[in-house]
Each structure stands twice: as C-alpha cells, then as structure tokens.
Amino acid sequence: MVGCHGLHGVRSENGQCFVELCASNNMVITTTLFPHKDIHKNTWVSPNTHTKTHIGHVAVCGKFRRSILDTRAFRGADVNSDHHLVIAKI
C-alpha cells in the first residue's frame, strides 16, 4: 500500500516494481503515510541541488502498520553526503 503523502511526480520503473512487490506481499510503504514538508520526504539530492527525490523507503508487513508512529527523512550534518537518513518511529 502506498499512502497519499509521497512526493508527487513520475515514478520510475524501479519505483513501480517496488510498489508492486509491496502490494503482492501485503506490505505498506510507511514513508508515504505521514504528512511532512517536502524537505522531510527527500532522501537524495543531486550534486547541483536542483534535483531532489525520494529513493529511501521503509516497508513493513501490513499487520504492523499501526505500530509505526512516524517515518521521515532527516537531513544530516554530513555535508559530504547526498543521501538523507530515513527513520521510522515504532
């Protein structure tokens, strides 16, 4: 299941495969369930800082969906990294 709070845009072929994998295994993509500002949804930023996307996800079995309190990306202090840490609160 995909929630309504993901980043808007075109889903890549790999993204579509991930959604289908989760759907066929009764899994929930928790990074799309909670409303957050876009800066807390972006998990990757291009070197020129113009392209931002959501490539890090947390997926859980559907029966544990209610155990997840929040999931979001945290921009780290490491300025040398273009990836952001994704944390789920259980």
Side-chain angles (χ1 to χ4, degrees):
M1 175 180 143
V2 178
C4 62
H5 296 288
L7 283 175
H8 305 290
V10 177
R11 188 178 293 147
S12 70
E13 183 178 339
N14 286 339
Q16 186 61 37
C17 288
F18 180 62
V19 169
E20 291 171 7
L21 173 77
C22 290
S24 65
N25 289 294
N26 190 31
M27 297 181 81
V28 178
I29 303 171
T30 66
T31 46
T32 63
L33 294 178
F34 304 98
H36 289 292
K37 294 179 180 179
D38 284 351
I39 62 169
H40 300 299
K41 295 178 186 179
N42 298 322
T43 59
W44 179 80
V45 180
S46 67
N48 66 8
T49 69
H50 294 296
T51 304
K52 298 172 181 162
T53 189
H54 192 177
I55 61 172
H57 299 282
V58 175
V60 298
C61 179
K63 74 178 192 176
F64 297 115
R65 180 181 187 269
R66 301 232 182 258
S67 299
I68 305 296
L69 302 175
D70 192 20
T71 306
R72 62 168 262 204
F74 286 85
R75 294 184 291 171
D78 185 3
V79 294
N80 295 323
S81 177
D82 56 356
H83 293 272
H84 301 304
L85 180 65
V86 179
I87 296 178
K89 293 181 184 178
I90 300 173

